[in-house]
Amino acid sequence: MSKAVLIVEDDPQLGESLKTILSLLHHKPHHIFSLKEAREAIDNQRWDVIISDYSLLDGTGVEVMSYAVKRKCSSTLIISSGHDRESIKEEMGELAQVRWMSKPYTIDDLKRLIE
């Protein structure tokens, strides 16, 4: 089943690579670069999956996920990061539903979290 996927990634090459992979997996990805754009996208469209890098130029993936939760998004929420999850565990707080994808990850890792 094709899913609308919001990719929040400030690295242009990584974001476009992820977009290409998700397209090849028959999903409908949309790549944006910032927390500000993520908030606008969450307010203006329904997403089946939201994937955000932890470190963004204007915020964090935790802020993206917190915003999605406050807006009562029923999306699958995923943070990807090269940081150890334990190092931001406190920051994650009440976001137990957010899935974690450690970088580097494989296409199989991505598929497993999305499906």
Side-chain angles (χ1 to χ4, degrees):
M1 183 172 120
S2 180
K3 296 182 180 188
V5 182
L6 178 63
I7 303 163
V8 188
E9 173 59 67
D10 58 1
D11 179 312
Q13 290 178 332
L14 184 54
E16 287 303 308
S17 295
L18 188 52
K19 183 177 174 181
T20 298
I21 291 166
L22 289 166
S23 293
L24 291 171
L25 294 173
H26 308 288
H27 296 299
K28 298 173 189 158
H30 179 70
H31 174 214
I32 59 174
F33 298 88
S34 69
L35 172 61
K36 180 182 180 214
E37 290 175 307
R39 288 177 177 152
E40 291 170 6
I42 290 166
D43 285 342
N44 293 316
Q45 185 172 336
R46 185 189 169 287
W47 301 98
D48 298 306
V49 179
I50 301 173
I51 301 171
S52 180
D53 185 26
Y54 171 74
S55 299
L56 302 169
L57 294 176
D58 63 344
T60 69
V62 174
E63 291 173 287
V64 172
M65 299 308 156
S66 293
Y67 191 80
V69 169
K70 285 178 189 168
R71 294 287 190 238
K72 300 191 183 335
C73 290
S74 60
S75 311
T76 298
L77 305 174
I78 303 168
I79 291 180
S80 67
S81 179
H83 296 281
D84 177 44
R85 183 179 183 155
E86 288 299 311
S87 67
I88 64 166
K89 187 176 183 178
E90 189 172 315
E91 188 179 346
M92 294 280 287
E94 300 297 317
L95 298 174
Q97 73 273 37
V98 176
R99 299 172 184 188
W100 186 265
M101 188 165 54
S102 294
K103 290 180 183 177
Y105 51 84
T106 67
I107 294 173
D108 287 338
D109 294 334
L110 181 61
K111 285 171 50 176
R112 187 171 42 256
L113 287 176
I114 288 178
E115 296 170 357

